[in-house]
Amino acid sequence: MLSSMVKFEIARTTDAKAIGMMSCDLIEKGLGWTWTPARVAQNIESRDTVVLVARARDRLIGFGIMYFGDESAHLNLLAVLPAFQKIGIGRGIMEWLEESARTAGIGTVFLEVRAKNKQARAFYKKMGYEEFAYLSHYYNGTEAAVRMVRDLRVRELS
C-alpha cells in the first residue's frame, strides 16, 4: 500500500524551498534556521550528498539529506510531515539512503539528534542505530544532542 501511495526519488533543485521550510518547521524549530533553501540547493547539487524526497500525489511529504564520505556517511537531516508519520515513510527514506551508502562501499552512518527528541531517538534505535555520545550545547550552544551510529556491514536477522 505504501509503495503505491509514495514515490521516493532524488530531489530536484526546485524542491529546495519546500525542504528548507520543512527543516525550519520540523527540525530546527527554536534553534534558528540554517538549512535555508540556498543551502539545501547546494546539497542537492553536490556530488558528495544525496537528497532524497518522498512524494504522495506529487506533494513533497518527506526528505533525507545524507553526506557520503570515503568510509562513512552522515545523515544531516530527515523529516516527514506529521500527517504522514508512523506509516513507514521515514523508514523507507532511511533504507534507501543506507542501501546507497552500502553500494558506495560505506560501512558506517553517523547522525545527531536532539537529546530531548525521544520519538526520533526511538526511531533511529529501531533502525539499528546506537547512541554513543552526548554532546551538550551542540545546537546553537543551547541544546544537547545525542550522536548515533550504525555499522552497515552488520545485517539484521529478520
Side-chain angles (χ1 to χ4, degrees):
M1 181 161 117
L2 180 63
S3 61
S4 64
M5 180 179 101
V6 178
K7 180 170 55 169
F8 299 101
E9 60 188 22
I10 298 295
R12 303 180 290 260
T13 53
T14 55
D15 295 321
K17 183 176 180 183
I19 292 169
M21 294 307 297
M22 284 179 68
S23 178
C24 182
D25 295 341
L26 301 175
I27 300 170
E28 298 182 90
K29 191 172 189 117
L31 298 175
W33 190 23
T34 63
W35 282 89
T36 62
R39 183 176 181 194
V40 172
Q42 287 176 334
N43 277 263
I44 291 170
E45 294 169 356
S46 171
R47 298 174 137 226
D48 297 327
T49 306
V50 173
V51 182
L52 185 72
V53 296
R55 296 185 202 283
R57 297 189 182 111
D58 295 324
R59 177 181 177 203
L60 196 146
I61 59 169
F63 71 91
I65 300 176
M66 185 177 281
Y67 168 78
F68 288 67
D70 291 334
E71 296 178 15
S72 66
H74 186 268
L75 181 69
N76 292 324
L77 296 173
L78 174 72
V80 176
L81 290 175
F84 294 91
Q85 292 177 2
K86 299 187 190 275
I87 60 171
I89 294 167
R91 173 176 288 281
I93 292 169
M94 288 299 295
E95 288 173 349
W96 196 102
L97 291 170
E98 289 171 351
E99 191 55 38
S100 296
R102 278 189 198 93
T103 300
I106 291 172
T108 310
V109 176
F110 294 92
L111 62 89
E112 291 81 32
V113 62
R114 287 182 180 196
K116 67 181 183 182
N117 190 341
K118 294 183 187 333
Q119 181 179 340
R121 289 169 67 181
F123 168 78
Y124 290 121
K125 284 180 184 177
K126 284 182 186 175
M127 292 295 302
Y129 287 78
E130 297 178 10
E131 297 181 354
F132 76 96
Y134 183 86
L135 310 166
S136 58
H137 309 293
Y138 181 80
Y139 296 106
N140 254 358
T142 61
E143 195 170 329
V146 173
R147 183 164 287 152
M148 302 180 80
V149 63
R150 179 164 184 211
D151 185 343
L152 297 178
R153 296 163 294 208
V154 178
R155 296 272 186 171
E156 300 290 322
L157 297 175
S158 303

